[in-house]
Every structure is written in C-alpha cells, then in structure tokens.
Amino acid sequence: MYMCFTVLAGLAILLFSYIRTFCPYFSDDCAYILRSLKLGFRLIKYKKIKPFYSILDCFLDAVKRHPAKILLHFEGRTYSYGEVDKQSNKVARALQAEARLKEGDAVALFLPNEPCFVWTWLGLAKLGCPVALLNFNIRSKSLLHCFSCCGAKVIIASPELQDAVEEVLPTLREQGISVYLLSDSSSVRGISALSGKISQASDEPLSPDLRSNINIKSTALYIYTSGTTGLPKAAVVTHERVWAASFLQAACGVTAEDIFYINLPLYHSAGFLIGMAGSIERGITIVLRRKFSASQFWDDCRKYNVTVMQYIGETLRYLCNTPRKENEKDHKVRIAIGNGVRSDVWSDFLNRFGDIKVRELYAATEGNIGFINYTSKIGAVGRVNFVHRFFFPYTLIKFDIEREEPIRNSEGLCIEAATGETGLLVGKITRRSPFVGYAGNKQQTDRKRLCNVLKKGDLYFNTGDLLRFDHEKFVYFQDRVGDTFRWKGENVATSEVADTLTMARCILEANVYGVKVEGHEGRIGMAAVTLREEEDFDCSDTYKQVVGYLPAYARPRFVRIQPRLEMTGTFKMKKVKLVEEGFNPALIEDPLYFLDPEKKTYVPMTEEIYRAIASREIKL
Ligand SMILES: *[C@@H]1O[C@H](CO)[C@@H](O)[C@H](O)[C@H]1NC(C)=O
Ligand SMILES: *[C@@H]1O[C@H](CO)[C@@H](O)[C@H](O)[C@H]1NC(C)=O
C-alpha cells in the first residue's frame, strides 16, 4: 500500500515536471479553457432563457444586490448603482413622453465620456431602443452619414457638441429628425432642451413589458468602425455580442471586488463593451475619465484604488514616456486589458510599473473571432487552443499583399498558411459565431464575407487582418490589409480622407496612405495628390477642408504633389511604393508639404522639419 502510494506520488511529480518542462503553458491553458467553458455555458443559457435576460437585467440585479455600491467615480463625484438606475428611469420617462419612443426605435447618442452616457443608454435600453454610439470627434458629412445609416429618428447630444449639431441641423430637420440637447434651455429652433424634462420625470421603474420583444438576436447597439473603404460603417451589435464582449473581463480574471478604470472613449467597443458592459456584468465600480491623461493616470489609480486598467498601445507608450517617479510602483493595478501594444513598450511598462498581468486581446467589433493573451508571452495576442478553435473555427490563409486578395489554388480554394507564415485571419460563419454585418450597407457586408475557403460552399468572415501563429501556438498580430491604417489608436479609412481632400478646389485626385514614424505605433496620414489644371497647391484652402471635416488623427500631415497617380491593373491606387518612400524631403523629388497646426496651414516640408520630427521637437 505504502509502496503503491510512493510510486504514484513519484509518477505525479514526474508528470508534473514533464508538463512544466515540455508544456510550460499547460496550467495557463487549462485555467483559460475552464473559464471560457464556464462563460460559454452561460451564453448558451442566456440564449435559451425566457424571458430574455439582457445586460440591462444584469444591471437591475446588481442594483438589487447592492444599491449603495458605487458604480461610477467621475471628476470627484460618485454615482451609486441605485442612483444611476433612478436617473435612467427619469431619462426613459422623459424620452417616452417627449419623443414617443417605443421598442425597436433606434436613437443616436452624441455624447462625451460622462456619467450621463451610461444612464442615457440604460434608459433607452429600458424602452427597448437600440442605441447608436456616435464618435464625438466626427463632424458634418461624416456625422450625417453615421447618423443616417442606423435609421435613427432621434439624436441626443451634449451641450458641448451643440456647434457640431447646428452645422448639420438643416439636413436633420429636412429628414424630420428630433434633436435633443442635454441642457436646461435651447435658443435654437429645431433643438429641444431635455434636462428640465428629465429632472421633472418620475424615477419609478419602467415595466419590462416595454421591451418584451427584445431577444438575444435583437440589435442592442450600433458601433462605428472605419472599414476598408469609404465612410465609417455601423456594425450591428446584437445582445448576443454584448454578452460575449462583456464576458471578456471575467475571462481575464476580473472579480466582483475589482475597480475598473475607463479612459478610452465610450463610443468604441473597447470602452463601452469590454469596459462598461463588462464592469456591469461583474457588478463592479468604474472610474470614468473624460479622456486619457498620462500625467494623471497613476494618481487616479492610487486615489480610487484601481485594480484593472484598460489600454491601447498608444496609452501604454504615453505612460512609459512620462518622467520616472519614486512611487510609480505604488498602486494596486493587477490586470491591464487592451490591444495594440508593441513588445518593447510592454517590457518597459512591466519594468517601470511592476507586476501587472497584461491581457492583450485581438478582436473586431463586427468580427466573429477573437483572441486573448492569457499567458505571459510578450508580443503574442493569444494562443491557438483546440477548445476555442472547436467552438469558433478559424484559420489563416495565404494572402497576396500587392493584389490584396487571398491566394487560391487551381480548384479555386484558399490555401492555409504554414506555421510561422503570415496569413489573413478568417473566421467561419456559423450559428455560434455569426457575422451580422453593417447597418444599411449590404455591399460592405458582402465584402467581408469570403466563400469557398477550405471547401466549396463554405463561408468565412474576412477580418482584413494579417496574423501569424508560431511553433508554440502563440498568435501574433502583423498588420491590417489595405485601405485602413491606425494612428493614435484610431482607424483611419483612407478613402474618407481622400474624399475630403478632393473637396479642396485645387486637388483633382488623392491617394491616401499611412507612413511609419520612428518610435510611434501605427502610421501617420499622408496623401499623394494631383492638382487640377492651371492650379497651384492651395495650402490654406486644403488646410481648411482637412480641419473642417476630419478629426485630428485622420488629417494627412504630409501631402505630396504628383503629376499623376499610379494605378494597378484593377484601377486601385498603388500605395506600397509610396508608403515605403515615406516623407523624407531628401529622398523625394515631388513637392512636399507639412500640416503645421501652429501656423494653421500647410507649409513646404523642409529637412529642418524632418529633423525636428525625428528629434521629437515637433510632436506628431
Ligand atoms: C482606497 O483604499 C483605502 C485603503 O484600503 C481606503 O482607505 C480608501 O478609502 C479607498 N479609496 C476609495 C476612493 O475607495
Ligand atoms: C501577453 O501577456 C504577457 C504578460 O501578461 C505580456 O508579457 C506579453 O507582452 C503579452 N503580449 C502582448 C502582445 O502584449
């Protein structure tokens, strides 16, 4: 008996050390698989349960459990679960009376990161209304486009965005749109003030009957993504997707005692779904910030006992660029969730700010596949594991970068990329991993579908992202295909920028692309343009167009004047060579201009400016 026990113990130790040596990620894999399975079963339960249980019901349960617990810290004030619930009842009642909203009516929110964002959304959810989250940086043509593609008849805006609303007001009025401002009064015809109505409304709960037809496949939100071409697209986010995204906190190990710091915009999926909806799912406290501030970051974390932070690559780099301080390891942050960090920044971050578990994610708002970096492998966005792949089949296929299409074999099928080779990530479209598409844009939706991938007749979601799997099954993000580049954490759609440029009188055609700048993630905007006959490049008019229509991150900082634009055989503009040539005036013979925000115009690009950018005297 004793012998037997010793042998078993010996075997166990052997097995354990074998696993430690040859499968170093075994325990991480197991923990992650278990957690994912648990969450998967919850999602299956929510799909079946009647009446449907939404994130709103989850919020209401949290209100019952702990009405006095703080939901939001914001600029020195606190808002408890109970208060936010009551406030959302008032908003819902005011809107019900004023705008006659009913189940299924889409409403657009045009609000900065403030607590009212949260309760206005909750109030609308109580009425069964899907909510379109407009990016508060967009203006005029883009704003109208985003607004109209979700089919909303009502827009609710913050008083600080009144100018942007007034700019498009004539068109909104023509279309019979109701425009509300969260202010006490409005002196503009066609804009109604809502705050007084909200404060007078009753805070009694609303009947769930108001939303009795909502189910897991109903649209909960429209979130805008800059796609490969054209204006932003409204990704349809169903309740199923809201649940899946809100589980990410749990999958990353966030518990009911954590305190979550949101400094990313609430109009993106990261801030809204992973940050806010995820915090509600956990029933935790959120520290909300109007915008990210590197200098305030750790003070905030200390002040509010933050334990979980959210990041994008840029924000981690800004944190690493702050001057060193004595107390920089003095905080309680234990998990960081986000995406897009470079490996060097990553290591630097851990060295400076201590042992924080970084959970790098890969996912797209509208996509049907995502990864989480649940081990501690620097540089990887996740791991291939069979459970995940069984439930959400995906693969990498060989891709022709120059022609921007998958490589196909003689039978017309795609070819899987080898281990270690960069390929296009595609996720099989199934009932479990659906692709809902974009509101009011069938063409764009179809473009994201890829058929005959591994078998005749199969259907995949084309992520448009190039990834690589290594021999240890780690997943690495490589690049985005084609016409979108990222700058300051935002996707920039090149054709949207090109449309704006050609509104300048002097510009005939524009080819927009992103170029690398030493020491920055992503690419900064640059445009090659041709001029109309008899026209010179008009620096100030071009500047006016660009600043009037594009958010700062999307404005082309460099403009290169060319006699003609090079096209591919399929009339797509050639970019690869331009991207490689960058913006060094010593190497480029074409006239070159630089957007100078201080002089408020484009100025001729000089070697002096080039050096100042390299030495960071000029901040981009
Ligand atoms: C943070 O934690 C400390 C010690 O546990 C506590 O005294 C303090 O009140 C907390 N701060 C906040 C904002 O909750
Ligand atoms: C994955 O996580 C580990 C630690 O949690 C980190 O060191 C590594 O850099 C991460 N990968 C990426 C791409 O950030």
Side-chain angles (χ1 to χ4, degrees), residues 214 236 250 391:
I214 303 295
V236 175
F391 283 106

PDB file of all heavy atoms in Angstrom, residues 214 236 250 391:
ATOM      1  N   ILE A 214     -37.692  42.054 -27.220  1.00  0.00           N
ATOM      2  CA  ILE A 214     -36.233  42.009 -27.415  1.00  0.00           C
ATOM      3  C   ILE A 214     -35.747  40.595 -27.114  1.00  0.00           C
ATOM      4  O   ILE A 214     -36.134  39.997 -26.115  1.00  0.00           O
ATOM      5  CB  ILE A 214     -35.548  42.999 -26.449  1.00  0.00           C
ATOM      6  CG1 ILE A 214     -36.079  44.413 -26.636  1.00  0.00           C
ATOM      7  CG2 ILE A 214     -34.032  42.941 -26.606  1.00  0.00           C
ATOM      8  CD1 ILE A 214     -35.782  45.043 -27.952  1.00  0.00           C
ATOM      9  N   VAL A 236     -23.534  46.241 -36.584  1.00  0.00           N
ATOM     10  CA  VAL A 236     -24.728  45.884 -35.826  1.00  0.00           C
ATOM     11  C   VAL A 236     -24.282  45.003 -34.658  1.00  0.00           C
ATOM     12  O   VAL A 236     -23.717  43.933 -34.868  1.00  0.00           O
ATOM     13  CB  VAL A 236     -25.716  45.115 -36.717  1.00  0.00           C
ATOM     14  CG1 VAL A 236     -26.905  44.626 -35.909  1.00  0.00           C
ATOM     15  CG2 VAL A 236     -26.165  45.987 -37.878  1.00  0.00           C
ATOM     16  N   ALA A 250     -14.384  38.866 -17.260  1.00  0.00           N
ATOM     17  CA  ALA A 250     -14.371  37.626 -16.496  1.00  0.00           C
ATOM     18  C   ALA A 250     -13.302  36.677 -17.036  1.00  0.00           C
ATOM     19  O   ALA A 250     -12.548  36.066 -16.270  1.00  0.00           O
ATOM     20  CB  ALA A 250     -15.745  36.969 -16.542  1.00  0.00           C
ATOM     21  N   PHE A 391     -15.009  25.552 -31.001  1.00  0.00           N
ATOM     22  CA  PHE A 391     -16.248  26.332 -30.933  1.00  0.00           C
ATOM     23  C   PHE A 391     -16.285  27.449 -31.980  1.00  0.00           C
ATOM     24  O   PHE A 391     -17.330  27.804 -32.485  1.00  0.00           O
ATOM     25  CB  PHE A 391     -16.437  26.920 -29.536  1.00  0.00           C
ATOM     26  CG  PHE A 391     -16.919  25.912 -28.542  1.00  0.00           C
ATOM     27  CD1 PHE A 391     -16.070  25.399 -27.575  1.00  0.00           C
ATOM     28  CD2 PHE A 391     -18.223  25.446 -28.591  1.00  0.00           C
ATOM     29  CE1 PHE A 391     -16.518  24.451 -26.670  1.00  0.00           C
ATOM     30  CE2 PHE A 391     -18.680  24.498 -27.696  1.00  0.00           C
ATOM     31  CZ  PHE A 391     -17.826  24.005 -26.730  1.00  0.00           C
TER      32      PHE A 391
END
